[in-house]
Amino acid sequence: MREFNLAPIELPPESETLRAEVRDFLDQEMRSYTVVERARTWFGFDPAFSRKLGERGWIGMTWPAQWGGHERPDSDRYVVIEEMLAAGAPVGAHWIADRQSGPLILTYGSEEAKQAFLPGIAKGELFFCIGMSEPNAGSDLAAITTRATRCDGGWRVNGSKLWTTGVMHAHQMIALVRTDQKAEVRHAGMSQLIIDLNANGLTRRPIVDHQGESHFGEVHFDNVFVPDSMLVGEAGNGWAQVNAELALERSGPERYLSSYRVFEELVAAYRDTGDSQIEPLVGELTARFWTLRQMSLAVADGVARGHNPVAEAAIVKDLGAKLEQDIPLLAQATIGGRVSQPASLIATIEYLLRFSPIFSLRGGTREILRGIIAREIGLR
Ligand SMILES: Cc1cc2nc3c(=O)[nH]c(=O)nc-3n(C[C@H](O)[C@H](O)[C@H](O)COP(=O)(O)OP(=O)(O)OC[C@H]3O[C@@H](n4cnc5c(N)ncnc54)[C@H](O)[C@@H]3O)c2cc1C
């Protein structure tokens, strides 16, 4: 059985200085935001806001200056995203590009791809989405059938992607596709391609969720041409690359702060009241936030050191989603029978009660994460 490495780490004092700067900026910028807009956290979409972050150097923070980055330590980036999420800032437009697509291109992309995309991402002007899931391949990602076949100067892509967050606004998708139809092992023969969402033969449609919002959509590829330079890494190495990418996707503060707005509204409404039911709840949630934050920081530190803490990231995501789903339920159970609650508290709880079921689906379902953890500790 292998040991988990989740040793707590401290952020350096310089990053804490940056925190004050980020808070001032958010106080100024977010005065007019409603509580429900803030409760959307990283699903809130505002390209003008993303551009402002780009101007401040708060996107692509750790990347080399050569590619439009700012060569800041990972701890600075952690502080920026933590503050953005705690404030409920509308970071959705650039979120995937900054967290995932940019780092992937930086590690595996061609020189052309780096030049074409990284500076635009860092400016907060170029948005990406993730094309992994398909109509018959969600949890079982190795079942994808979207295929790319060789042609003169590149690839022709045919198939569909589903549940693609941000696809209606994004400019590019990094898609996992099958490039070797004859591969005998199902995890082999897959590759990642950067696909222009305005390419000929590509159609995209929004999917409206149960709240009437359309954060995600579906995409169809009908002989879409992708040039050779848009292959990410080596052909056939897609599975390994995607797994490394998922560790980045599963362990950040966005995996435990999605319901933080309820906590803030609860504390604001009951501060100094000595309420005998609210105080234990606030205490319990504070302890859980603290623990998850330490675990998430430990995973971020591992990634920064070049490790691939797949199981640790899965633990953070699973426990984090549980906390995010518990918060609105516990708040409702605690204040449910009381009359005349602040409208902002009620609106936030209502919104997150409806929104939170997706927290244990996006980025990998609970059962899949637990399967990964079980495998890592030798139970299967
Ligand atoms: C809000 C949201 C945003 C998303 N954004 C993106 C995105 O940007 N890009 C993208 O590619 N995908 C995205 N997804 C897709 C998401 O990652 C998949 O939906 C998820 O992996 C589940 O796939 P599925 O819906 O096909 O369910 P299924 O895979 O059909 O699973 C159905 C149920 O069966 C369980 N199950 C499946 N297999 C097993 C197993 N082996 N053992 C035990 N239980 C199992 C699952 O846990 C689940 O409860 C998003 C989903 C949501 C909800």
Side-chain angles (χ1 to χ4, degrees):
M1 188 187 297
R2 83 161 177 74
E3 278 180 19
F4 290 116
N5 183 5
L6 286 165
I9 62 151
E10 289 282 327
L11 291 175
E14 309 79 76
S15 298
E16 295 302 342
T17 311
L18 171 64
R19 188 185 299 284
E21 196 189 320
V22 179
R23 281 192 184 168
D24 283 350
F25 168 82
L26 291 169
D27 277 351
Q28 295 291 326
E29 290 294 327
M30 296 203 54
R31 291 213 169 122
S32 63
Y33 281 74
T34 66
V35 284
V36 167
E37 283 168 337
R38 286 171 181 259
R40 292 195 178 113
T41 61
W42 51 290
F43 271 29
F45 180 91
D46 183 348
F49 187 84
S50 294
R51 266 197 301 279
K52 283 186 192 168
L53 295 197
E55 282 162 18
R56 295 220 154 214
W58 290 345
I59 303 177
M61 287 181 78
T62 60
W63 307 349
Q66 179 192 3
W67 304 117
H70 303 281
E71 308 196 351
R72 308 273 292 253
D74 291 276
S75 53
D76 281 7
R77 177 172 186 274
Y78 197 94
V79 162
V80 169
I81 57 174
E82 189 170 46
E83 289 302 320
M84 294 289 154
L85 295 168
V91 290
H94 66 272
W95 187 258
I96 287 165
D98 179 50
R99 175 184 73 185
Q100 204 160 329
S101 317
L104 193 75
I105 294 170
L106 203 54
T107 310
Y108 298 108
S110 65
E111 288 301 295
E112 286 98 315
K114 287 180 184 164
Q115 214 150 25
F117 303 125
L118 295 178
I121 294 175
K123 282 187 187 155
E125 293 174 353
L126 199 50
F127 310 138
F128 274 66
C129 59
I130 306 162
M132 294 190 196
S133 306
E134 296 185 4
N136 295 309
S139 302
D140 186 10
L141 193 55
I144 59 158
T145 56
T146 295
R147 63 193 186 282
T149 41
R150 269 259 147 256
C151 67
D152 199 16
W155 305 84
R156 289 275 170 198
V157 180
N158 285 283
S160 303
K161 292 289 172 185
L162 195 61
W163 313 127
T164 316
T165 299
V167 72
M168 299 311 292
H169 306 289
H171 303 101
Q172 305 284 332
M173 165 188 279
I174 300 191
L176 183 69
V177 297
R178 223 162 252 296
T179 42
D180 179 1
Q181 270 63 247
K182 295 195 196 88
E184 282 174 13
V185 182
R186 62 200 288 271
H187 295 97
M190 287 185 250
S191 307
Q192 288 183 297
L193 295 175
I194 305 173
I195 305 182
D196 185 337
L197 290 166
N198 287 313
N200 285 336
L202 186 150
T203 46
R204 43 184 160 162
R205 272 197 293 272
I207 301 173
V208 180
D209 69 16
H210 61 298
Q211 309 232 66
E213 297 179 352
S214 48
H215 300 292
F216 46 26
E218 59 184 50
V219 185
H220 302 281
F221 309 96
D222 181 7
N223 245 5
V224 172
F225 175 71
V226 179
D228 271 328
S229 58
M230 295 299 127
L231 173 69
V232 184
E234 281 172 42
N237 195 36
W239 188 253
Q241 290 171 201
V242 154
N243 277 294
E245 189 184 339
L246 284 170
L248 293 176
E249 185 181 339
R250 287 180 173 156
S251 57
E254 72 273 29
R255 298 305 181 185
Y256 58 90
L257 286 176
S258 304
S259 297
Y260 186 71
R261 186 59 24 203
V262 172
F263 180 78
E264 284 263 302
E265 293 295 327
L266 204 59
V267 171
Y270 284 92
R271 186 186 298 279
D272 299 329
T273 60
D275 188 292
S276 64
Q277 286 179 302
I278 303 295
E279 281 193 350
L281 176 60
V282 168
E284 177 197 327
L285 297 180
T286 304
R288 289 171 72 183
F289 275 129
W290 187 91
T291 309
L292 274 158
R293 179 170 185 268
Q294 290 298 330
M295 293 169 71
S296 160
L297 279 167
V299 176
D301 187 51
V303 171
R305 289 168 194 272
H307 304 152
N308 187 12
V310 173
E312 286 85 344
I315 293 172
V316 172
K317 163 102 176 41
D318 187 36
L319 291 177
K322 175 87 175 77
L323 171 62
E324 292 177 333
Q325 290 177 338
D326 280 352
I327 291 174
L329 285 171
L330 291 171
Q332 182 198 35
T334 309
I335 64 159
R338 302 180 180 196
V339 284
S340 70
Q341 294 299 306
S344 60
L345 175 58
I346 298 298
T348 315
I349 293 174
E350 266 176 13
Y351 183 80
L352 279 155
L353 278 174
R354 287 194 305 268
F355 192 34
S356 55
I358 68 165
F359 299 164
S360 55
L361 300 175
R362 62 183 183 187
T365 66
R366 176 160 288 140
E367 291 76 17
I368 294 307
L369 297 170
R370 292 180 182 182
I372 293 170
I373 299 161
R375 193 182 57 224
E376 291 289 319
I377 58 175
L379 289 179
R380 69 187 193 105

